[in-house]
């Protein structure tokens, strides 16, 4: 056991060894919470003699679950140790496979991803003739968001119809009813259903609940600050009357209220478990003390939190750097310059850098500038591997012959040669007339689809043969290869590659993924004997997570995407009013504190060097006027950072020579000077005479005499602008 404890500090050791009472671990940023969780699981197995499969540990991402599994195997030097470590959704899918008959669901149900949900919603909207003119913006997304809200509030479709008074909400309630009806008919569940249906099963079936209570001797929950009411209800049901619970989280990192997370759950834990013990982990193993000083000072502005101040023994490194720029372009150009300097002069790698922003729209200038500077980067949150068309098409083939849902069959028909929308509509009508699913119609022995078109013969024959392979539980990768080849999809993709699309490599990467899954397949873990169904379940559960590309590239990502990550150098950009926090004039105190927590999360991603920047003066549609610094900038303690304003990289000559000047040699940093001041009369070659009503660093706000131009913001060093 000494091996398990040798790297634990005193507080961590207490957290590991406390097992006889409900335990809440408040784990500060970078405080080694994963180390504590894995050490605790190893301790329960080795010291408390709990059988591994009787330990349930739940977290929020597959990546975190897999990392814990691997760490425990190494700790115990035993590849066969398999505690039940999974995401909430994966755990619920496992329960649902076993208990679905209690709610009238067939155990071969399929799990919808968000794209499939939207496709169903769009079809319902079209059939109901709603939003035909397209005037309602993001109507399908709004409908899905409202449906998700109702589901998590346990509001049934008929109840939603009764309580809605607003015309748009009534439309959403009607869509909700048809959506649920479609899911029931097609034996489908969505992500919300996984947790809600299991909650209902546990709530209404005491014998089933008791069975699952008895299945686990100890329950642990990671990222507890991100739990919602349904998840906490599941935890309470599984642990009622027992002391076998440890939860780990940090209220200062609760930034997902828009997903249903409630900070009150972790804050009021002792009200639910009065005999609970709290252990605070406040020694940070990630960042320098200079970075932590700034983060600690900022988060103390929040009133609704557990008081703590994280510290580290690492006192090396520079103070965080706060930078002010006149334009978004100047901000991006400076960041690119600093990245080059850190790589070329200080030995950093591109992969050591994060550029973090509050909203995706802020990445645009950085993408262009990094491209121009030949700096490699990943835009995290762009098209994920599993959302590429060729991958979704291939998976649709697999779903068509296994789950047999209409959505997947329709997707396959859409890429079947010589089959168009008119033909697909005829197939739908015939299936409805015969009261068959699309798949059943396709393989119908009467071959009635041939009355529509002979061009369905190849895909029909493929379906029939592949279905036999599936029922015989044959090799997953061989089944996929058969489907892709015999459906003629391989030929379609390779024709795309003739146009330099290079899509076939993605299909081959999918083959590798299937092979690796098959190699590690464990039917007990998935509650499913058929390897194809197990893979499709895993794929559906993983579809909400970002794919990570391990490479030497700068990562551009939102702060919410960066939670749980860390890097040596972090640039937190766009710290502007109406950007971060967004729409701060409309935020409640609770929402404003959450925005502050998001900044705290961003700052504590940095291990060695931290930059923070904002724009002052440039006009932006985001704020409806000139950008100014966020309120958070004013909250940062000036004793804890270095500050520089009016920075830009000098540009000489035409744009063609710009890169050589900026990145081939050391660029010069200079302050723009102008003799034009407020109240000065000026003349612009195009806009005519005007008066300067405001001076903002490199920008001037000018009221022009000509009413066609009115008030405009221009660069103070504009060569066609002169003082009169």
């Amino acid at each position: 056991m000494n091996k398990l404890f040798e790297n634990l500090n005193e507080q961590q050791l207490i957290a590991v060894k406390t097992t006889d009472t409900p335990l809440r671990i408040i784990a500060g940023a970078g405080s080694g919470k994963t180390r504590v969780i894995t050490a605790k699981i190893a301790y329960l197995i080795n010291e408390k003699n709990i059988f591994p499969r009787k330990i349930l540990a739940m977290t929020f991402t597959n990546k975190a679950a897999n990392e814990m599994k691997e760490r425990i195997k190494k700790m115990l030097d035993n590849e066969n140790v398999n505690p039940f470590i999974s995401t909430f959704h994966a755990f619920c899918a496992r329960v649902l496979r076993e208990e679905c008959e209690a709610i009238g669901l067939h155990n071969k149900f399929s799990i919808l991803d968000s794209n499939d949900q939207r496709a169903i919603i769009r079809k319902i909207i079209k059939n109901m003739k709603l939003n035909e003119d397209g005037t309602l913006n993001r109507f399908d997304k709004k409908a899905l968001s409202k449906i998700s809200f109702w589901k998590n509030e346990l509001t049934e479709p008929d109840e939603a119809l009764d309580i809605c008074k607003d015309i748009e909400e009534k439309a959403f309630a009607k869509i909700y009813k048809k959506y649920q009806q479609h899911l029931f008919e097609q034996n489908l569940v969505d992500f919300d259903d996984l947790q809600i249906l299991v909650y209902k099963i546990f709530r209404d079936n005491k014998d089933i609940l008791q069975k699952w209570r008895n299945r686990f001797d100890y329950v642990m929950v990671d990222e507890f600050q991100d739990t919602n009411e349904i998840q906490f209800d599941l935890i309470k049901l599984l642990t009622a009357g027992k002391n076998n619970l440890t939860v780990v989280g940090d209220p200062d990192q609760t930034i997902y209220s828009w997903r249903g997370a409630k900070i009150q759950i972790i804050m009021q834990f002792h009200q639910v478990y009065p005999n609970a013990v709290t252990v605070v982990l406040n020694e940070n193993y990630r960042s320098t003390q200079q970075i932590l000083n700034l983060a600690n000072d900022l988060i103390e502005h929040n009133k609704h939190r557990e008081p703590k101040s994280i510290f580290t023994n690492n006192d090396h490194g520079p103070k965080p750097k706060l930078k002010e720029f006149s334009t978004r372009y100047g901000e991006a150009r400076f960041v690119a310059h600093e990245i080059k300097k850190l790589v070329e002069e200080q030995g950093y790698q591109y992969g050591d850098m994060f550029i973090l922003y509050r909203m995706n729209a802020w990445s645009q200038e950085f993408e262009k500038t990094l491209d121009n500077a030949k700096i490699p980067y990943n835009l995290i949150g762009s098209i994920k591997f599993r959302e590429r068309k060729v991958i979704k098409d291939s998976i649709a083939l697999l779903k068509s012959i296994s789950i047999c849902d209409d959505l997947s069959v329709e997707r396959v028909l859409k890429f079947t040669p010589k089959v168009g929308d008119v033909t697909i509509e005829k197939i739908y009508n015939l299936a409805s007339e015969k009261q068959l699913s699309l798949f059943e119609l396709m393989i119908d022995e009467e071959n009635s689809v041939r009355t529509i078109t002979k061009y369905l013969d190849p895909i029909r024959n493929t379906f029939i043969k592949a279905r036999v392979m599936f029922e015989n539980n044959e090799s997953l990768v061989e089944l996929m290869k058969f489907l892709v080849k015999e459906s003629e999809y391989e030929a379609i993709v390779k024709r795309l590659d003739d146009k330099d699309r290079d899509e076939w490599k993605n299909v081959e990467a999918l083959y590798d993924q299937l092979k690796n899954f098959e190699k590690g397949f464990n039917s007990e873990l998935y509650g499913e004997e058929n390897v194809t169904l197990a893979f499709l379940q895993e794929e559906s559960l993983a579809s909400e997570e970002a794919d990570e590309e391990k490479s030497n590239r700068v990562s551009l990502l939102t702060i919410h995407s960066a939670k749980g990550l860390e890097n040596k150098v972090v640039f937190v950009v766009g710290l502007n009013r109406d950007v971060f926090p967004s729409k701060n004039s409309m935020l409640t105190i609770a929402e404003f504190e959450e925005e502050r927590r998001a900044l705290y999360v961003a700052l504590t991603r940095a291990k060695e060097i931290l930059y923070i920047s904002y724009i002052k003066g440039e006009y932006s549609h985001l704020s409806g006027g000139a950008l100014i610094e966020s309120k958070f900038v004013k909250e940062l303690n000036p004793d804890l950072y270095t500050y520089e304003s009016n920075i830009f990289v000098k540009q000489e000559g035409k744009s063609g020579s710009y890169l050589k000047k900026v990145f081939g040699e050391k660029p010069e940093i200079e302050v723009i000077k102008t003799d034009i001041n407020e109240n000065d009369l000026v003349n612009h070659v195009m806009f005519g005479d005007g008066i300067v009503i405001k001076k903002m660093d490199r920008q001037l706000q000018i009221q022009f005499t000509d009413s066609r131009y009115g008030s405009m913001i221009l660069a103070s060093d504009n060569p066609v602008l002169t003082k009169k």
Side-chain angles (χ1 to χ4, degrees), residues 675-697:
D675 60 350
I676 301 177
N677 297 301
E678 288 184 12
N679 300 318
D680 282 349
L681 297 175
V682 294
N683 178 268
H684 189 279
V685 169
M686 183 180 295
F687 307 136
D689 291 344
I691 185 170
V692 178
I693 58 175
K694 192 173 184 181
K695 184 175 182 179
M696 304 166 288
D697 302 315

Side-chain angles (χ1 to χ4, degrees), residues 583-622:
K583 301 177 184 175
N584 72 2
S585 61
M586 300 171 64
L587 295 180
T588 64
I589 292 173
E591 289 168 334
F592 199 85
E593 287 202 350
E594 178 157 344
E595 290 285 310
R596 192 181 284 115
R597 290 195 295 269
L599 179 55
Y600 173 80
V601 166
L603 303 182
T604 54
R605 299 313 91 196
K607 295 167 74 174
E608 298 174 9
I609 302 177
L610 173 64
Y611 295 84
I612 305 160
S613 58
Y614 62 91
I615 316 304
K616 193 168 184 179
E618 183 178 52
Y619 177 84
S620 171
H621 292 286
L622 293 170

Side-chain angles (χ1 to χ4, degrees), residues 202-363:
F202 284 173
R203 181 194 64 189
D204 301 334
N205 299 272
K206 291 184 179 178
D207 55 335
I208 294 175
L209 173 59
Q210 194 59 47
K211 181 175 83 173
W212 285 89
R213 271 185 187 161
N214 293 339
R215 193 166 286 191
F216 301 109
D217 289 340
Y218 207 90
V219 177
M220 301 182 71
V221 185
D222 185 22
E223 301 290 1
F224 188 65
Q225 78 279 344
D226 293 332
T227 50
N228 60 31
E229 292 284 5
I230 292 287
Q231 289 162 343
F232 192 34
D233 284 341
L234 287 170
I235 294 163
K236 287 185 285 188
L237 286 167
L238 283 169
T239 61
K242 296 184 176 182
N243 290 320
N244 62 338
L245 175 64
T246 290
V247 300
V248 187
D250 182 6
D252 286 337
Q253 297 186 67
T254 303
I255 60 172
Y256 289 123
S257 65
W258 45 278
R259 288 185 187 171
K262 293 190 175 177
I263 192 172
Q264 293 87 349
I265 292 174
I266 189 169
M267 295 286 287
Q268 298 170 4
F269 185 74
H270 285 258
Q271 292 181 16
V272 179
Y273 297 92
N275 62 327
V277 170
T278 291
V279 174
V280 178
L281 307 181
N282 59 351
E283 182 173 355
N284 178 285
Y285 295 92
R286 175 190 298 156
S287 308
T288 65
Q289 190 62 54
Q290 285 76 8
I291 292 169
L292 295 182
N293 288 342
L294 189 67
N296 284 334
D297 190 83
L298 171 78
I299 201 62
E300 284 180 7
H301 286 83
N302 275 11
K303 305 303 178 191
H304 193 55
R305 63 185 294 263
E306 291 275 343
K308 72 175 185 304
S309 183
I310 54 176
F311 70 94
T312 181
N313 290 316
N314 178 11
D315 200 30
H316 301 289
K319 281 185 178 181
K321 302 172 177 64
L322 179 66
K323 306 288 182 181
E324 177 189 298
F325 299 93
S326 300
T327 64
R328 288 177 61 185
Y329 172 60
E331 179 186 50
R333 194 165 55 168
F334 173 80
V335 169
H337 159 239
E338 286 298 293
I339 289 170
K340 279 281 187 181
K341 188 167 74 170
L342 288 166
V343 169
E344 293 172 2
E345 297 180 13
Q346 297 189 39
Y348 283 93
Q349 301 289 309
Y350 290 122
D352 295 333
M353 322 273 182
F354 280 167
I355 299 175
L356 305 182
Y357 33 80
R358 176 63 181 82
M359 55 179 66
N360 279 305
W362 207 261
S363 73

Side-chain angles (χ1 to χ4, degrees), residues 335-336 339-340 343 349-356 366 370 374-380 549 551-557 567 569 571:
V335 169
I339 289 170
K340 279 281 187 181
V343 169
Q349 301 289 309
Y350 290 122
D352 295 333
M353 322 273 182
F354 280 167
I355 299 175
L356 305 182
F366 291 94
L370 295 178
K374 302 294 187 289
I375 294 175
Y377 66 90
N378 283 330
L379 185 62
I380 296 177
E549 228 177 291
S551 57
N552 185 25
R553 296 169 178 268
V554 175
S555 291
L556 277 68
L557 64 166
N567 220 333
V569 181
F571 297 87

Side-chain angles (χ1 to χ4, degrees), residues 200 215 255 373 397 401 511 662 703:
K200 288 178 178 179
R215 193 166 286 191
I255 60 172
L397 282 165
I401 58 91
Y511 291 160
V662 174
Q703 182 68 46

Side-chain angles (χ1 to χ4, degrees), residues 45 47 52 100 123 168 219 230 319 383 400 410 497 518 525 551 560 575 619:
I45 294 168
E47 196 75 4
C100 56
K123 185 165 284 189
E168 186 177 69
V219 177
I230 292 287
K319 281 185 178 181
I383 297 177
S400 294
E410 181 184 352
D497 283 358
E518 198 164 15
L525 180 63
S551 57
H560 286 82
L575 197 56
Y619 177 84

